[in-house]
Amino acid sequence: MPIPPRPRTFICPDCHWQRTTIPASDALQVNIDWFFRCPVCNSELQTRPATRAEIMRARLTQFFCHPRD
Ligand SMILES: [Zn+2]
């Protein structure tokens, strides 16, 4: 049984770019579901499990915007 990935928050320690992702499946897409480097300054990102507030905000964003845009 594949385990669905948990929502995660990615944070750039240098420019404070931040993104919360809620992967739709365990087939993670780099730069959509998973980030290795900051898209702004190319620094290595820190990652941690998303908080409830971040998950809620990310869901709202996906609902009102184009989810995979
Ligand atoms: Zn950055």
Side-chain angles (χ1 to χ4, degrees), residues 4-44:
R6 311 292 304 168
R8 293 197 76 82
T9 295
F10 298 84
I11 301 161
C12 175
D14 290 330
C15 74
H16 301 108
W17 176 91
Q18 185 173 318
R19 176 74 59 89
T20 299
T21 65
I22 305 174
S25 71
D26 61 350
L28 295 175
Q29 299 181 70
V30 174
N31 294 329
I32 296 173
D33 299 316
W34 195 269
F35 294 85
F36 293 105
R37 292 199 168 266
C38 175
V40 177
C41 68
N42 211 36
S43 288
E44 219 168 302

